[in-house]
Amino acid sequence: MSSPFDVYRMEGRVAVVTGAASGIGAATAGVLAAAGASVVCADIDPAGLATTVAAVEAAGTRAIAVPTDVTRRDQVEAMIAAGVAEFGRIDAVCNIAGAMFPGRIEDLDDDTIDRGIGLNLKGVLYGTQAAIRAMKDQGSGAIVNVSSGAIDLPYAGIGVYAFTKAAVAMLSMTAALEAGEYGIRVNAIAPGMTVTPFTTWRLNKPDGTIDQDAYDEFMEYSKGMSPLGIVGEAMDQALLIHYLLSDASKYATGQIFRVNGGQTWAW
Ligand SMILES: NC(=O)c1ccc[n+]([C@@H]2O[C@H](COP(=O)([O-])OP(=O)(O)OC[C@H]3O[C@@H](n4cnc5c(N)ncnc54)[C@H](O)[C@@H]3O)[C@@H](O)[C@H]2O)c1
């Protein structure tokens, strides 16, 4: 018996997830696997990748780990090729890998600028290009790129991060316009504060263990950013990404989707 929820199922689909070793990427790999997709897990962190692949396989679907530095065009193309070689096709690509590059505009040096653009912008661009090329002949596919709530309001000290994420939003809208004729949808998400190592690393003590007092204080502060009084979790973003990669969102393309707890200001 068919159900309106069948459009969320992804059996027979092949999804590529970058940043799959941690946080939003790991949660996304898990959700896509639970929806039935085979998952190509890519990251520069081999230990984290192994954990994610084991979790995906525990969900009963197939997964491969493809160590990938998304700042390298050749490695991104090899990642897509590995997925095609293993599973025969690519239906969904989410370009999630990214990092914070702190620094005030007046102080930014070329190394920080180049690393920020290399990871947060070129990494997503290479992934989008390789995805479109892999999908265009089959006449279908979906791409989700991860931007940030940082595109919605300026915040001092995160200039490279914010302007690379703003570029990801426009890159995604432009790619959607161009790839629509191939039946490929491209969307971006702009997450609000989401608890992952991306947000909690600064709360670690020098020995790497969590400073519980600092963590608790940060969580209380973060809850105050949302009118709901709660903090976002990686799963909140992963479920949105799943929607955007599944046929449930067949009419959605060229958009920036925000799951951010209604947050209207940064910390
Ligand atoms: N957590 C948040 O509050 C938040 C908010 C807005 C946007 N984002 C964005 O979400 C994305 C995922 O962040 P997260 O919170 O899951 O962080 P995370 O640190 O948990 O995960 C990021 C992953 O990217 C990987 N990575 C880093 N450099 C890489 C490279 N060169 N090649 C391949 N992989 C690489 C890391 O190894 C890590 O597994 C990022 O693009 C981040 O900017 C996060």
Side-chain angles (χ1 to χ4, degrees):
M1 193 173 73
S2 72
S3 153
F5 296 110
D6 288 348
V7 288
Y8 288 93
R9 298 303 309 171
M10 294 185 70
E11 278 85 5
R13 303 280 173 92
V14 180
V16 178
V17 180
T18 77
S22 177
I24 295 169
T28 299
V31 170
L32 298 178
S38 301
V39 187
V40 178
C41 300
D43 205 289
I44 47 168
D45 171 6
L49 271 184
T51 303
T52 302
V53 166
V56 168
E57 288 173 340
T61 61
R62 295 172 64 201
I64 55 169
V66 184
T68 306
D69 179 349
V70 299
T71 69
R72 296 273 307 275
R73 181 189 283 282
D74 57 340
Q75 293 193 23
V76 173
E77 289 172 355
M79 167 189 80
I80 296 292
V84 173
E86 183 73 19
F87 300 118
R89 57 186 285 126
I90 302 291
D91 300 287
V93 173
C94 33
N95 295 299
I96 300 177
M100 176 59 73
F101 293 87
R104 293 172 65 84
I105 295 292
E106 69 196 78
D107 300 327
L108 293 176
D109 56 31
D110 282 343
D111 178 59
T112 307
I113 296 166
D114 291 344
R115 285 188 300 112
I117 291 174
L119 176 56
N120 288 350
L121 178 52
K122 281 184 165 179
V124 173
L125 173 62
Y126 296 155
T128 303
Q129 291 179 304
I132 292 172
R133 289 176 191 145
M135 294 166 172
K136 68 185 278 190
D137 287 343
Q138 71 200 22
S140 66
I143 299 167
V144 172
N145 295 328
V146 177
S147 176
S148 169
I151 70 173
D152 290 325
L153 74 173
Y155 182 73
I158 62 163
V160 170
Y161 182 77
F163 68 63
T164 55
K165 292 296 186 178
V168 165
M170 184 50 74
L171 151 65
S172 304
M173 291 190 282
T174 306
L177 207 55
E178 296 175 356
E181 66 180 287
Y182 312 133
I184 300 170
R185 297 182 296 103
V186 188
N187 290 288
I189 69 166
M193 221 297 287
T194 303
V195 182
T196 70
F198 172 90
T199 41
T200 57
W201 64 270
R202 72 194 95 179
L203 308 171
N204 287 349
K205 293 190 279 198
D207 67 3
T209 60
I210 193 85
D211 180 334
Q212 196 60 46
D213 288 342
Y215 183 88
D216 293 344
E217 189 181 335
F218 180 70
M219 287 305 132
E220 279 311 305
Y221 189 73
S222 298
K223 285 178 192 171
M225 294 196 292
S226 164
L228 299 172
I230 58 174
V231 182
E233 299 170 359
M235 187 57 70
D236 296 317
Q237 306 304 331
L239 290 167
L240 172 62
I241 294 171
H242 167 229
Y243 164 73
L244 291 171
L245 294 177
S246 74
D247 290 346
S249 62
K250 69 178 174 55
Y251 192 45
T253 196
Q255 304 304 307
I256 316 299
F257 289 82
R258 292 165 170 84
V259 167
N260 60 13
Q263 182 184 333
T264 54
W265 55 283
W267 59 88

